[in-house]
Amino acid sequence: MLSLPKNFETFNEARQKSFMALYQAKERGKKIIGTFCSYTPVEIIHAAGAIPVGLCGKSEQGIAEAEAILPKTICPLIKASYGMAITDQCPYFYFSDGILAETTCDGKKKMYELMGKIKPVHVMNLPQSKDQALAIDAWTEEVKRAAKFLEDLLHVSITPEKLHDAIVYRNRLRRAIVDLYEVAKIKPSPVSGYELSTVAESADFHFTDDDLIAKIEKTTRDFKARTRNDGANRPRVLITGCPNAGVRDKIIKRLEELGADYVCADTCSGPRVQKFMIDENADPYRAIAERYLKINCSVMTPNEARFDDIKDLVKEYQVDGVIEIVLHGCHTFAVEAYTTMNIIQNELSMPYMRLDTDFSQSDGGQIETRLGAFIEMMIAA
Amino acid sequence: MLFAGIDIGSTAAKAVLMSEDKREIVARNLMPSGWNSRETAERLLSWLMSLGYSRDDIRIIATGYGRVSVPYADSTLTEITCHGKGAAFLGGDDLTVIDIGGQDTKVIIIKNSRVIDFVMNDKCSAGTGKFLEVMANRMGLTLPEFFALAEHGKDIKISSMCTVFAESEIVSLMGLGTPREDIACGAVGSVVSKVATLVSKKASSGKYYLTGGFCESPLLIRKLSETLGSEVFTTPDARFAGAIGAALLGK
Ligand code: SF4
Ligand code: SF4
């Protein structure tokens, strides 16, 4: 059974709590830059003396309002992000001095054009492939151009020292988060994946906390020290596909309540992206660009390295089955899902299930049946 | 120890009792699920008890979407696992099972008598028993009457996939004086094509095997075989597949 500690803070609680901290920081004159994607080089935001805040929509909130302007068929993440922005429902967006975005999928980049009418939005031109001619050169220039945008917007100057400090800080933070994720490599995992991922992904909201890294390291130690006596027969699941924060309760929590362990996320917030560090001794802009271009997201073509990552993670985390989450309207992941299916089922001979869903609760019952059947399938395998 | 499987679906509730060696179906029962799954479950228990065994002699496994309403069950399993197991018992170890249920339709791939993959229809009721129920209702017929009529019909195309739109399409067809048997036949064809699309999402292996309430409709089986380009097998007991699988999985 999924058991959570009494003082467990849900993702939304963590998010809410940090509103106040953010507000106070803002009062003290801190600047805030909103981000929407794992490709955003947050180091330049830190170096500009501002706080990077992830603004991705993660619930149904704002979707109805967004649908008045955006097509209904666009992915819920884009609708929710935009909806929260236009309805002033998201204090983070409200407090943001500007937005740093990039050309990832079509829906998102066109949405940014509309968002730009409400706030200063800078859209970085992300290459479509790391193998593209001049990709790394172009992307390095884009990072510089984004830094210039921040300097002009916030009237600051990003010095090489500040940039270096930011790189060192984010590397340490990433290392701490990867270590935290890796607790789940222990079999059986001493901690619920729902709890672990909530803590890991909430780290984003503790931006004003100077001891953030120390706290994460402590949580890792605490998690490792925990014992669980019911974990032995629970199949271990890797979740891949679209960002899953918006379906955290409907899918991840339910999966664990029904008897499986969520041990690894092959999504852009999980360990496969966090593990990429920035070279602290190279030219900072180039080093930043190199690090971010390593990310394997379905917006890239080709994106074959993603499948090498999945295969590695399946092994490292001793996974018994893979669930792919495809949000309605996300073409890039929907198309790649066919490849994921073939690799997991045919190459690895492992149970694979694809769940097509959105942020609404209306398919909760159907998802539950599928999750239940998938767990039974993994146990029988 | 005997083994009973109780499968409470959205339309029909099925129960079977299997012998100790799980090779034989000792008794079977079928009733409408009704409004209250809880009551239906109780009625099935009384039926089981009326067969002359005591409760302690029988291990009971519940499945189907109403499985949570069977308080006396020793354990529960999802309908996917049970349908797969039951179909393998009836039809062989390697199958592509097609289950057209009252509320949802599923395709289950069975290898060595184990579920290795499955897909279910999405939220919409097109391609499920519900679609035909709505159409029959609209024409003032019961489902068996509807199927009997459809047997004599010509294939016409119902173009709306959505149940709500198809219903109004049928109303206008009736208004135009289209023969009722043709409309019924067209509606069956519509379900078949939707089901075939679902089947095509999974690479098929082994033979096709139909379970669920429509396994006694020759028209549907014929049309499905034609559309899939391969014979679809079934038997009258296939509507009990979920209950049979549940009983087989009892420990
Ligand atoms: S899935 Fe890709 S595009 Fe979406 S947030 Fe992650 S890295 Fe960015
Ligand atoms: S989930 Fe897909 S469609 Fe949605 S923002 Fe990410 S890449 Fe774009």
Side-chain angles (χ1 to χ4, degrees):
Chain A
M1 205 40 224
L2 169 71
S3 59
L4 297 167
K6 281 211 186 59
N7 58 354
F8 174 75
E9 197 176 58
T10 67
F11 189 74
N12 285 336
E13 283 161 2
R15 190 177 158 111
Q16 254 155 27
K17 239 195 204 162
S18 57
F19 288 166
M20 272 327 283
L22 190 73
Y23 178 69
Q24 285 156 358
K26 184 94 185 174
E27 292 277 277
R28 289 195 305 272
K30 263 284 187 192
K31 301 292 183 194
I32 292 156
I33 298 295
T35 69
F36 286 96
C37 173
S38 300
Y39 279 107
T40 316
V42 287
E43 288 75 11
I44 57 174
I45 300 175
H46 284 289
I51 302 174
V53 179
L55 298 179
C56 248
K58 296 181 169 81
S59 71
E60 272 187 283
Q61 230 185 332
I63 289 192
E65 290 87 345
E67 283 178 349
I69 296 170
L70 296 174
K72 267 196 166 56
T73 48
I74 235 169
C75 123
L77 205 147
I78 302 175
K79 286 190 285 195
S81 301
Y82 183 66
M84 297 278 271
I86 51 169
T87 54
D88 272 345
Q89 289 186 70
C90 172
Y92 292 118
F93 183 85
Y94 183 80
F95 286 141
S96 295
D97 296 281
I99 305 293
L100 192 53
E102 43 293 287
T103 53
T104 49
C105 64
D106 286 354
K108 244 179 171 179
K109 73 185 177 206
K110 297 307 284 184
M111 180 274 279
Y112 292 139
E113 293 174 6
L114 298 179
M115 193 176 264
K117 301 196 192 311
I118 324 175
K119 285 259 176 197
V121 174
H122 176 83
V123 181
M124 304 172 72
N125 269 289
L126 181 69
Q128 295 207 344
S129 150
K130 55 186 112 180
D131 311 324
Q132 176 183 321
L134 303 180
I136 184 64
D137 299 328
W139 184 230
T140 307
E141 289 310 308
E142 283 298 309
V143 177
K144 287 184 186 161
R145 209 164 61 91
K148 179 80 175 49
F149 160 77
L150 293 175
E151 287 182 326
D152 292 348
L153 180 75
L154 308 174
H155 310 294
V156 293
S157 114
I158 296 179
T159 63
E161 295 73 34
K162 285 187 195 156
L163 203 48
H164 185 259
D165 288 350
I167 291 174
V168 172
Y169 171 74
R170 287 306 293 208
N171 273 350
R172 281 183 55 217
L173 180 58
R174 273 193 283 265
R175 186 72 256 159
I177 290 182
V178 172
D179 287 344
L180 178 65
Y181 276 123
E182 291 190 343
V183 171
K185 281 190 179 176
I186 304 171
K187 188 177 174 180
S189 171
V191 50
S192 130
Y194 174 72
E195 183 183 354
L196 192 152
S197 63
T198 302
V199 174
E201 284 166 42
S202 310
D204 242 21
F205 296 122
H206 298 278
F207 24 71
T208 51
D209 191 339
D210 296 331
D211 328 312
L212 176 59
I213 295 177
K215 282 187 181 152
I216 295 176
E217 287 167 348
K218 180 172 180 314
T219 309
T220 303
R221 285 193 301 275
D222 292 349
F223 279 175
K224 279 192 179 152
R226 281 205 208 161
T227 47
R228 237 173 84 206
N229 37 24
D230 64 338
N233 299 318
R234 294 165 65 93
R236 295 162 64 85
V237 174
L238 175 142
I239 294 186
T240 186
C242 295
N244 60 39
V247 291
R248 186 183 290 280
D249 283 14
K250 186 166 71 177
I251 298 183
I252 296 175
K253 191 158 179 246
R254 211 59 204 112
L255 174 75
E256 295 209 317
E257 284 168 347
L258 289 168
D261 280 346
Y262 164 48
V263 294
C264 182
D266 165 64
T267 56
C268 66
S269 56
R272 79 154 155 88
V273 170
Q274 298 284 354
K275 73 172 189 224
F276 299 131
M277 299 295 157
I278 300 179
D279 187 345
E280 296 173 10
N281 302 312
D283 167 67
Y285 285 107
R286 182 95 181 174
I288 290 174
E290 273 171 358
R291 186 263 164 194
Y292 284 92
L293 212 50
K294 281 187 197 151
I295 297 174
N296 300 313
C297 171
S298 66
V299 298
M300 293 288 177
T301 182
N303 187 34
E304 272 149 27
R306 173 183 169 211
F307 302 104
D308 298 332
D309 279 343
I310 295 186
K311 285 189 252 181
D312 289 345
L313 291 172
V314 161
K315 232 189 260 141
E316 285 170 29
Y317 285 80
Q318 305 180 59
V319 164
D320 300 306
V322 173
I323 295 179
E324 179 142 51
I325 295 174
V326 178
L327 296 175
H328 291 319
C330 177
H331 302 320
T332 56
F333 278 103
V335 172
E336 281 195 8
Y338 180 70
T339 309
T340 325
M341 177 183 82
N342 280 323
I343 289 178
I344 305 298
Q345 286 185 336
N346 304 338
E347 246 179 76
L348 305 183
S349 305
M350 189 175 275
Y352 165 90
M353 175 172 71
R354 165 177 166 171
L355 289 177
D356 287 79
T357 187
D358 57 19
F359 295 173
S360 76
Q361 297 307 314
S362 63
D363 58 353
Q366 290 207 324
I367 288 200
E368 193 167 321
T369 304
R370 287 166 167 84
L371 291 173
F374 190 66
I375 293 174
E376 289 163 4
M377 209 167 111
M378 286 187 290
I379 291 174
Chain B
M1 181 67 70
L2 290 117
F3 298 91
I6 308 249
D7 175 9
I8 311 232
S10 61
T11 319
K14 285 83 55 177
V16 299
L17 181 65
M18 294 193 76
S19 59
E20 180 136 25
D21 63 2
K22 295 183 178 169
R23 291 211 180 152
E24 233 178 288
I25 301 172
V26 178
R28 40 176 90 56
N29 195 356
L30 172 82
M31 58 175 74
S33 293
W35 295 111
N36 187 336
S37 325
R38 201 58 182 256
E39 271 171 27
T40 313
E42 288 306 327
R43 274 166 56 208
L44 286 172
L45 180 64
S46 323
W47 167 76
L48 263 182
M49 294 298 97
S50 74
L51 297 173
Y53 304 94
S54 92
R55 174 68 187 84
D56 295 338
D57 295 334
I58 309 175
R59 203 148 263 283
I60 302 178
I61 316 308
T63 186
Y65 105 117
R67 64 184 177 279
V68 286
S69 313
V70 189
Y72 54 82
D74 295 306
S75 62
T76 60
L77 285 166
T78 64
E79 51 270 39
I80 313 232
T81 306
C82 293
H83 266 277
K85 193 80 191 171
F89 174 83
L90 297 169
D93 291 346
D94 295 292
L95 299 173
T96 294
V97 181
I98 303 168
D99 177 66
I100 306 180
Q103 204 82 264
D104 50 40
T105 291
K106 17 188 187 296
V107 176
I108 308 169
I109 310 292
I110 307 289
K111 271 239 162 73
N112 299 323
S113 121
R114 251 187 33 222
V115 176
I116 60 154
D117 199 7
F118 65 88
V119 58
M120 288 168 83
N121 68 309
D122 46 32
K123 277 183 252 184
C124 145
S125 62
T128 71
K130 187 91 211 154
F131 182 87
L132 294 179
E133 200 185 304
V134 170
M135 301 313 142
N137 248 328
R138 174 47 71 192
M139 295 167 71
L141 300 169
T142 64
L143 264 182
E145 288 165 356
F146 178 84
F147 269 108
L149 196 66
E151 283 288 347
H152 311 292
K154 275 204 318 287
D155 212 353
I156 58 161
K157 187 143 180 63
I158 310 281
S159 43
S160 313
M161 274 296 184
C162 162
T163 308
V164 180
F165 290 139
E167 196 181 353
S168 35
E169 193 175 333
I170 279 177
V171 173
S172 45
L173 283 172
M174 290 196 292
L176 287 171
T178 311
R180 298 192 331 149
E181 50 270 35
D182 292 0
I183 301 176
C185 183
V188 174
S190 159
V191 167
V192 163
S193 79
K194 192 86 205 258
V195 170
T197 310
L198 195 67
V199 174
S200 69
K201 283 194 185 175
K202 290 288 159 203
S204 66
S205 60
K207 60 179 188 185
Y208 292 117
Y209 198 85
L210 179 72
T211 64
F214 297 123
C215 60
E216 286 179 84
S217 161
L219 174 71
L220 189 135
I221 298 164
R222 209 168 56 234
K223 278 184 179 288
L224 196 55
S225 302
E226 273 163 25
T227 314
L228 293 172
S230 172
E231 189 179 350
V232 174
F233 295 85
T234 188
T235 136
D237 261 346
R239 62 167 19 165
F240 292 99
I244 295 171
L248 289 172
L249 289 160
K251 284 192 192 92

